[in-house]
Amino acid sequence: MPRFFSAVALLLIAFAPLALAQDAPAPLPEDAVIPLDPLVRTGTLPNGLTYYVRQNSRPENRAELRLAVNAGSILEDDDQQGLAHYLEHMAFNGTEKFAKQELVDYLESIGTRFGPDLNAYTSFDETVYMLQVRTDSMAQFTTGIDVLREWAANITLEEEEIEKERGVIIEEWRLGRGAFARIREAQFPVLLKGSQYAERLPIGKKESIESFDVETFQRFYSDWYRPELMAVVAVGDFDVDDVEAMIVEQFSSLENPEDARERPAYSVPGNTAPLVKVATDPELPYGSVQVVYKHPKEDRSTLSGYRKDLTESLYSVMFNQRLQELIQSADPPFTFGSAGPGTFVKGADFYNLQAILAGDGHLNALEVLLTEAERVRQHGFTQAELDRAKIDLLRSFEQAYAERDKGESRSYASRYVNHYLDGGPSPGIAFSYRASQDIVPIITLEEVNYLVTQYLTDENRVILADGNDPEMMPTEAELLAVFDAVAAKTIEPYAEELVDAPLIAEMPTRGGVVGMSEEEEVGVTRATLSNGVKVVFKETDFKNDEILFSAYSPGGTSLASDAEYIPASYAAGLVAQGGLGEFGPVELYKKMTGKLVNVRPSIGSRSEGFSGSASPEDIEALFQLVYLHFTAPRADETAFESFKKRIGQFMLGMQADPATAFRDTMAVVMAQNHPRAQPFSQATLDAMDLDASFKFYKERFADASDFTFYFVGNFDTVPMLMELSNTYLASLPTLDRYDKPRNVGIDTPKGIVTKVVQRGVEPQAQVRMVFTGEADWSQDNQRLMGTMTQAFQIKLREVLREDLGGVYGVGASGRLSREPIQTYSISVSFGCDPERVNELVESVYAQIASVKSGALDDTYVTKVRETILRGHETNLKENRYWLSTLSSFDRAGLDVNTIPTGLPSFMETITPAMLEDAANQYFSFDNVATFVLVHEDFDASTLELEPR
């Protein structure tokens, strides 16, 4: 289905944290055009090509490069359906300077990852190529600019490469098949009725993909890949003058065709009578009902347009909060509901009301959505709702402004691409922050309430309903009747009750510090509090307005009996749903208005703890929430009934999905049918028990003495955090029990295991091969395992995708486990044509044999080493990396002082011989489990899955 964006999401896309100009702009009249961010240099070459160049040093020594082409599937001729996307693939299969796979080989050799750092996408209206390169090597950066130039004009389109890539494209098409694709194919022609968009899905048609020839490629390439329809974007750690000169030199020679075809703009026609489509599919895991209102594209390039963006954001926040309150009732009308403006094609704007549900609740869900909209129409929002929404919106801009010098180059590059392709404003945070401070306070309640009359119109309305059981679906007439019924209603105004109480009624008795130490090499401070709680701090300047935290204590659900497992496993989620202290979930949300803070409790299989974040100015609220999660959790019966019904509907509905059945089967087989590895079922739902969950939660959080808390981010001083720790952590209850998790007896199967799951109607297969065994855990062994499997994944991609054209993507990963026993696991997975499963499984085994004989030579070592080192270099400037790594090192008993240097030192020692030894050790065929998902009509007896 189309991906709709709320006003808040659109606002973040257009006005996300961009760097601060030297001086905030003066107030502008509302008809003033919003200027482009002054920190980006832009220009247009004589041939019409546009460029954006911006200096930014996050991450250091990196640049994000983009080639944006204002041409997508909407421009395909009838005989070219799917070719825009196919051509994007061909850009990686040979240009005049980079023959065939030389481009990918070179970029991988300098640490550029195929996928995360080197990629592209094609949509209805555009094609965008993305590349990250280093800037501390002029040769590498210059090559990056060369690559953009090659994509723009010099894709070679050799017939042999077109044929090889055909299989990859078909596998991507195959991978996208399923219930949602079939529903989309049924509903898109109605949603986009009368529009070219309805006829030009980017993936195209299989019959067209199978027949494209070189001439058809050349025609599309020469027609639409021309400089007047292109933009080059470069953002990174470089000199702007130098990079601008490089772009001018490289791209000025591009020429437009003499008889260039006009680049048409397409729209989505309106409709007077409602358009309705009810669609079903037996594999659909959940149903939905949507009302989509089509509107002409609006110009948001002026300050008045920005004011409307802000007003829409306030409206959407308030309306969606009302929907959120409804689904927290004991009998929620739907599993999930949302509303907001958005778009997914250039030719129209949309406003969407949507509910996700299970069973036959479509009419009720639609009535609830329309009733809430009508409630706003009749009574509007309340001033209290608007005041809270304004506080939260302004607070989000304050955070963006505080992070003005910490933006990531990738984010900036995306925004400039959007500016070029969509014309949306991108003024930088100085402008948007100042404008928001001026505009948001003066937006009136009447102004916000008026939007409902603009959003919900009698014309241009499309009603879409889908589910998996035709007998439970409403008719078109029944759906339309709901609109008349709601319009005739007299609806009560929205009412709310607020808890007028402090978050913590009585401040806790402070504790103290009994020991402190410093690990100066990595800037880590450790403290032990008087109740045994341990606290670890690392102050950073990676972000200006971010503090991340986590907490860990051994135990988890391993300390529950098998009979208690289900209530224990849902305990943290249920408590999180129930609120804290005197505040229910709705009241707690409102109590935290204006605070950027979140705290999430968790109970895993072998530990319990917390995770969360806060703005520095809200850090005390974080400590208070942690304190309340220990001392004042709530067992809320209404929240429990709501959670149980929603998760039951969703999870039971997922049983219709073939992929879910496949995952469930793998989990059960790999755990040898252990009671704790059973898939979600009605029995799971029946075993949920609020009292048992609440009892287990309180038991696991009754003793803080074995908890360790980690804080990473921009806090003022360690003494400040110590004060908060003494107040809210040193006062936590303790029992000094120091629990240890137990081994619950989940072991992987021995020997050769094969399992075929036959579900679904699409001619597609999923393959998963798992190699397991016992192995000594050490940090070096874990690193070697990771290096070897990364190199093996490259090898598999080269063979299964590039040589055989049998897969769209292939994954390989490996890990060593320390507990409860020391084991290893390597997983290989891919999707393919069911008729090629045997061939591709055999090929995997052939590649395993090759790497066990030394096929992972220096070329692969170089690629993986550079990738890992580049990632490590960037990770060291990320709060989240330090948070997780400090905790994992402590739990493994490793020296945290080696975090910066240990991995680089190890990677310098890697040799092909080490990878060969690792492959021979871990690719043992003693214990191999192979799983295959195929459609119901496939002859599974033809599959040959055992090692060979």
Side-chain angles (χ1 to χ4, degrees):
M1 286 307 300
R3 179 185 177 191
F4 291 98
F5 297 96
S6 69
V8 173
L10 290 174
L11 195 65
L12 292 175
I13 290 172
F15 298 101
L18 301 180
L20 175 65
Q22 292 299 312
D23 298 301
L28 295 174
E30 289 207 350
D31 61 351
V33 175
I34 296 173
L36 181 62
D37 180 359
L39 294 183
V40 61
R41 185 179 298 177
T42 187
T44 303
L45 301 180
N47 59 14
L49 183 138
T50 302
Y51 63 84
Y52 300 78
V53 183
R54 162 75 182 272
Q55 191 281 331
N56 186 65
S57 58
R58 285 187 58 85
E60 295 177 357
N61 301 322
R62 303 285 190 278
E64 294 290 340
L65 304 180
R66 303 288 185 269
L67 176 69
V69 185
N70 186 20
S73 61
I74 197 70
L75 300 179
E76 294 167 346
D77 295 332
D78 288 341
D79 64 344
Q80 295 175 326
Q81 293 185 57
L83 191 141
H85 170 248
Y86 202 148
L87 177 60
E88 168 225 306
H89 275 241
M90 293 305 301
F92 298 90
N93 283 26
T95 69
E96 290 183 6
K97 283 191 176 182
F98 299 97
K100 299 184 178 181
Q101 291 301 306
E102 287 180 8
L103 173 60
V104 174
D105 284 341
Y106 169 74
L107 291 171
E108 284 186 330
S109 74
I110 61 174
T112 301
R113 297 167 296 171
F114 188 58
D117 304 325
L118 173 66
N119 214 327
Y121 73 85
T122 304
S123 70
F124 286 106
D125 296 295
E126 71 249 13
T127 306
V128 178
Y129 298 88
M130 301 167 284
L131 173 62
Q132 185 191 87
V133 293
R134 297 190 70 96
T135 58
D136 53 354
S137 166
M138 182 54 66
Q140 292 181 16
F141 180 77
T142 301
T143 300
I145 298 294
D146 285 344
V147 169
L148 298 191
R149 174 64 165 74
E150 291 290 288
W151 285 336
N154 295 328
I155 302 174
T156 50
L157 299 173
E158 296 180 8
E159 187 169 348
E160 178 185 357
E161 292 301 309
I162 290 173
E163 288 303 317
K164 287 173 59 177
E165 195 67 19
R166 200 182 306 275
V168 176
I169 300 290
I170 290 173
E171 290 311 315
E172 184 177 1
W173 169 86
R174 191 190 311 278
L175 193 65
R177 300 303 301 163
F180 290 108
R182 295 189 292 270
I183 292 292
R184 181 180 63 238
E185 289 168 356
Q187 293 184 343
F188 256 41
V190 178
L191 177 64
L192 302 171
K193 184 177 181 180
S195 166
Q196 181 81 344
Y197 289 106
E199 308 297 328
R200 291 294 186 268
L201 292 183
I203 195 61
K205 297 182 177 181
K206 183 171 181 286
E207 54 268 28
S208 296
I209 296 169
E210 291 173 332
S211 61
F212 290 141
D213 56 23
V214 173
E215 185 279 329
T216 315
F217 274 97
Q218 291 287 4
R219 172 158 43 95
F220 188 91
Y221 191 38
S222 60
D223 281 347
W224 304 117
Y225 276 58
R226 58 187 200 241
E228 64 185 1
L229 296 180
M230 292 180 177
V232 172
V233 177
V235 182
D237 195 5
F238 49 56
D239 182 272
V240 170
D241 291 337
D242 292 344
V243 175
E244 181 183 33
M246 293 172 67
I247 292 172
V248 171
E249 179 182 359
Q250 285 274 32
F251 290 89
S252 291
S253 60
L254 297 181
E255 296 180 357
N256 295 296
E258 290 185 5
D259 298 319
R261 294 175 66 176
E262 180 184 357
R263 201 295 191 195
Y266 292 94
S267 62
V268 179
N271 52 282
T272 303
L275 301 175
V276 184
K277 182 62 181 179
V278 178
T280 61
D281 192 283
E283 296 175 16
L284 199 65
Y286 51 79
S288 73
V289 60
Q290 300 180 69
V291 186
V292 183
Y293 298 86
K294 299 183 290 187
H295 299 290
K297 203 76 172 176
E298 284 194 54
D299 179 10
R300 299 298 177 92
S301 63
T302 65
L303 206 60
S304 61
Y306 183 34
R307 178 168 182 153
K308 187 166 186 181
D309 277 333
L310 293 168
T311 307
E312 288 179 341
S313 293
L314 295 169
Y315 180 101
S316 293
V317 166
M318 292 186 287
F319 193 89
N320 281 291
Q321 177 55 29
R322 288 189 179 185
L323 296 182
Q324 182 66 22
E325 291 176 20
L326 287 174
I327 68 172
Q328 291 175 333
S329 63
D331 187 22
F334 33 73
T335 303
F336 173 78
S338 67
T343 188
F344 65 102
V345 297
K346 281 186 177 181
D349 286 333
F350 301 90
Y351 183 82
N352 188 47
L353 295 172
Q354 181 177 23
I356 303 296
L357 64 152
D360 59 352
H362 293 77
L363 293 175
N364 180 57
L366 178 60
E367 182 177 0
V368 170
L369 288 174
L370 295 177
T371 298
E372 288 311 306
E374 186 63 25
R375 195 186 312 278
V376 174
R377 189 196 302 274
Q378 292 183 18
H379 304 289
F381 295 104
T382 69
Q383 189 62 49
E385 288 178 289
L386 180 59
D387 291 342
R388 287 195 299 268
K390 284 184 175 183
I391 290 170
D392 283 337
L393 182 59
L394 288 172
R395 187 71 181 85
S396 68
F397 276 103
E398 289 171 6
Q399 184 177 51
Y401 187 81
E403 299 289 5
R404 57 191 177 272
D405 60 340
K406 304 296 184 183
E408 297 288 332
S409 295
R410 184 165 295 186
S411 296
Y412 298 149
S414 296
R415 280 144 183 83
Y416 301 143
V417 166
N418 289 335
H419 181 269
Y420 170 71
L421 293 171
D422 300 330
S426 184
I429 189 57
F431 184 98
S432 54
Y433 172 71
R434 171 69 180 274
S436 68
Q437 301 302 302
D438 290 342
I439 294 172
V440 171
I442 64 173
I443 293 175
T444 65
L445 192 59
E446 292 74 21
E447 192 176 350
V448 179
N449 290 337
Y450 177 68
L451 285 177
V452 71
T453 64
Q454 294 183 293
Y455 286 154
L456 277 60
T457 57
D458 291 333
E459 296 184 345
N460 303 323
R461 192 169 62 196
V462 183
I463 301 101
L464 306 173
D466 52 65
N468 58 27
D469 187 347
E471 295 184 1
M472 300 177 72
M473 296 301 295
T475 65
E476 177 178 329
E478 288 173 329
L479 289 167
L480 291 174
V482 175
F483 287 83
D484 295 333
V486 171
K489 275 186 177 183
T490 299
I491 300 171
E492 293 296 318
Y494 173 79
E496 63 180 348
E497 293 183 7
L498 300 177
V499 177
D500 185 17
L503 192 60
I504 297 179
E506 183 176 345
M507 291 298 289
T509 302
R510 285 169 52 87
V513 179
V514 297
M516 290 189 71
S517 62
E518 300 279 345
E519 283 156 325
E520 296 181 358
E521 290 183 44
V522 289
V524 168
T525 300
R526 297 180 182 271
T528 301
L529 306 182
S530 52
N531 60 352
V533 170
K534 295 179 176 59
V535 190
V536 181
F537 306 113
K538 178 172 173 59
E539 185 177 4
T540 72
D541 59 1
F542 307 147
K543 292 285 186 181
N544 297 326
D545 203 46
E546 178 182 84
I547 299 173
L548 304 181
F549 99 105
S550 67
Y552 159 81
S553 167
T557 58
S558 74
L559 300 183
S561 67
D562 287 348
E564 299 169 323
Y565 174 69
I566 290 175
S569 63
Y570 286 96
L574 288 173
V575 168
Q577 295 277 322
L580 293 168
E582 297 185 41
F583 299 88
V586 174
E587 293 76 22
L588 183 62
Y589 168 82
K590 294 174 180 178
K591 181 68 175 178
M592 303 309 291
T593 296
K595 296 188 182 298
L596 296 174
V597 58
N598 71 85
V599 173
R600 297 179 298 276
S602 62
I603 301 177
S605 61
R606 298 179 61 80
S607 66
E608 59 274 345
F610 295 95
S611 61
S613 63
S615 167
E617 71 176 68
D618 298 320
I619 187 63
E620 184 167 10
L622 182 148
F623 277 87
Q624 291 175 335
L625 291 174
V626 169
Y627 179 81
L628 289 173
H629 274 94
F630 273 96
T631 62
R634 293 176 90 251
D636 190 297
E637 187 68 35
T638 299
F640 171 68
E641 291 298 330
S642 173
F643 177 82
K644 184 176 179 181
K645 183 171 182 179
R646 285 183 286 122
I647 197 171
Q649 289 178 337
F650 183 80
M651 295 300 293
L652 293 176
M654 291 299 291
Q655 294 177 353
D657 177 33
T660 299
F662 187 51
R663 288 191 298 270
D664 289 345
T665 299
M666 288 190 292
V668 170
V669 171
M670 291 307 296
Q672 299 189 82
N673 205 33
H674 195 281
R676 296 182 183 230
Q678 298 304 303
F680 193 98
S681 66
Q682 185 61 48
T684 310
L685 207 58
D686 294 340
M688 289 187 183
D689 184 311
L690 178 59
D691 292 337
S693 290
F694 194 62
K695 178 182 177 182
F696 187 78
Y697 177 94
K698 290 202 298 184
E699 192 274 332
R700 293 315 312 142
F701 289 89
D703 181 13
S705 62
D706 60 356
F707 271 79
T708 302
F709 288 82
Y710 296 86
F711 294 88
V712 176
N714 186 21
F715 37 85
D716 290 339
T717 61
V718 169
M720 179 272 292
L721 283 189
M722 286 306 311
E723 281 296 305
L724 294 172
S725 298
N726 288 339
T727 300
Y728 298 106
L729 301 185
S731 57
L732 293 174
T734 58
L735 301 174
D736 296 325
R737 35 179 212 205
Y738 302 105
D739 292 323
K740 292 183 178 180
R742 67 185 182 94
N743 185 350
V744 299
I746 300 179
D747 298 315
T748 54
K750 306 300 182 185
I752 305 303
V753 176
T754 60
K755 184 68 176 179
V756 178
V757 178
Q758 292 194 255
R759 292 283 295 271
V761 298
E762 292 287 350
Q764 56 187 197
Q766 291 291 327
V767 179
R768 180 86 172 267
M769 306 164 69
V770 186
F771 304 80
T772 59
E774 296 183 4
D776 292 334
W777 187 93
S778 71
Q779 188 177 43
D780 282 354
N781 286 346
Q782 177 66 70
R783 288 168 171 167
L784 181 58
M785 162 76 82
T787 304
M788 187 272 289
T789 52
Q790 283 191 51
F792 183 58
Q793 177 169 289
I794 295 173
K795 181 71 169 171
L796 288 180
R797 189 201 74 227
E798 292 172 343
V799 176
L800 272 64
R801 173 178 164 134
E802 312 302 346
D803 293 344
L804 300 177
V807 303
Y808 173 62
V810 57
S813 61
R815 70 186 189 94
L816 297 179
S817 297
R818 288 185 299 110
E819 50 186 18
I821 59 175
Q822 296 188 26
T823 59
Y824 77 86
S825 174
I826 297 177
S827 175
V828 175
S829 58
F830 55 89
C832 66
D833 182 340
E835 302 294 338
R836 299 190 68 180
V837 169
N838 288 343
E839 171 196 358
L840 295 173
V841 168
E842 183 176 0
S843 182
V844 171
Y845 281 115
Q847 298 317 306
I848 290 174
S850 75
V851 300
K852 292 170 78 169
S853 299
L856 298 179
D857 58 21
D858 282 324
T859 300
Y860 294 93
V861 171
T862 298
K863 288 181 176 182
V864 177
R865 177 190 293 126
E866 290 302 310
T867 298
I868 290 175
L869 291 178
R870 282 182 57 161
H872 182 68
E873 181 181 314
T874 302
N875 285 338
L876 289 175
K877 298 296 180 68
E878 298 290 338
N879 288 330
R880 195 164 300 281
Y881 174 78
W882 278 99
L883 184 72
S884 63
T885 306
L886 285 171
S887 176
S888 63
F889 268 52
D890 281 355
R891 292 166 71 171
L894 302 172
D895 181 4
V896 299
N897 288 303
T898 66
I899 291 174
T901 59
L903 181 58
S905 296
F906 176 81
M907 293 308 301
E908 292 303 323
T909 70
I910 291 289
T911 64
M914 293 170 66
L915 299 187
E916 181 180 341
D917 289 343
N920 277 282
Q921 179 179 358
Y922 298 121
F923 276 123
S924 166
F925 297 161
D926 292 340
N927 305 312
V928 183
T930 303
F931 303 89
V932 179
L933 170 67
V934 290
H935 58 92
E936 295 163 357
D937 296 332
F938 184 77
D939 183 2
S941 67
T942 62
L943 294 176
E944 300 175 1
L945 304 176
E946 295 190 358
R948 52 204 189 266

